[in-house]
Structure formats: structure tokens, C-alpha cells
Amino acid sequence: MRFIGVLLAGLLAIGCGTGPGNHDPGLLKGSAFSPPTISTLTPNSVPVNSVPFTITVNGSNFLTDAIVLWNGTPLSTRFISSNQLLASLVQTDITTVGLIPVFVRTGGLNSNTVDFNVTAQ
């Protein structure tokens, strides 16, 4: 009987408007309910074996816990604003020619993936 009471209380909490549908959509911008989005990477291309550098990730809905992932590997990331992050790459990150998938994880959500081009010298 106790389990049923807990189950009913949980269902009541869900049904009482805790979801984003019962709030002003303007309040959700930049919250954990809005997925992060990458618009540009600067630079978006470097030659293979380039010296260490910093990449600027521009987009929206970044939170202070944001991490830039490079080919699935977390990079040292600095939060600048909800629209910009800086991520440090070291020489071992750019030893292979090709497109490297980059995305941001913040608030438990992943952004879209943008390819970074590591070119031949």
C-alpha cells in the first residue's frame, strides 16, 4: 500500500506542471531544458601537427558546467558566456588529418556536432 502512495505522489508531481509546457518559453532560454547549440568554431581548420592552440566555440545555451568534446574526448574548457566557450588543444589532439567531430555537453545535454578540419601540411 505504501508503494502505491509513493507512486501516486510521483504521478501527481509530474502532472502538476513541472514540465516546460507550463512555463513561459522565454524563461527556459539558457536553462537545462534548452539543448546547447554550436554555431561556429574559430578556427574551424588547422594543419596537422600544429602547435597547441585554443579553439573558440560559439553557440547558445552553454552553462557553467559546459565541456567541449573533441572526437569524444573532453578538452580543458573555459566558460566565457552562455554563447561562448574556449577549449585548449594540445599537439597530440591534432596528429591525424581528417574531420574531427566536436560537440558540447552541458546541463546533461549534448549539442549538435560540428566537424573541425585537420588538413595536410
Side-chain angles (χ1 to χ4, degrees):
M1 200 64 172
R2 184 177 213 173
F3 173 75
I4 293 173
V6 171
L7 180 63
L8 288 174
L11 291 173
L12 181 62
I14 292 170
C16 286
T18 59
N22 291 331
H23 300 285
D24 177 3
L27 296 176
L28 295 176
K29 189 169 179 89
S31 74
F33 296 107
S34 299
T37 302
I38 297 175
S39 55
T40 61
L41 302 175
T42 305
N44 63 2
S45 176
V46 296
V48 69
N49 296 322
S50 294
V51 295
F53 67 96
T54 299
I55 186 172
T56 302
V57 179
N58 296 299
S60 59
N61 301 324
F62 302 144
L63 303 175
T64 56
D65 71 340
I67 298 291
V68 176
L69 288 101
W70 174 269
N71 206 22
T73 302
L75 297 177
S76 174
T77 304
R78 184 171 160 213
F79 176 84
I80 302 300
S81 72
S82 63
N83 299 316
Q84 190 172 75
L85 305 169
L86 298 178
S88 300
L89 288 118
V90 295
Q91 192 160 354
T92 56
D93 293 321
I94 47 179
T95 59
T96 305
V97 172
L99 297 176
I100 306 296
V102 177
F103 68 95
V104 173
R105 182 173 296 139
T106 187
L109 300 173
N110 292 341
S111 72
N112 58 311
T113 300
V114 175
D115 288 331
F116 185 94
N117 192 14
V118 178
T119 62
Q121 288 186 334

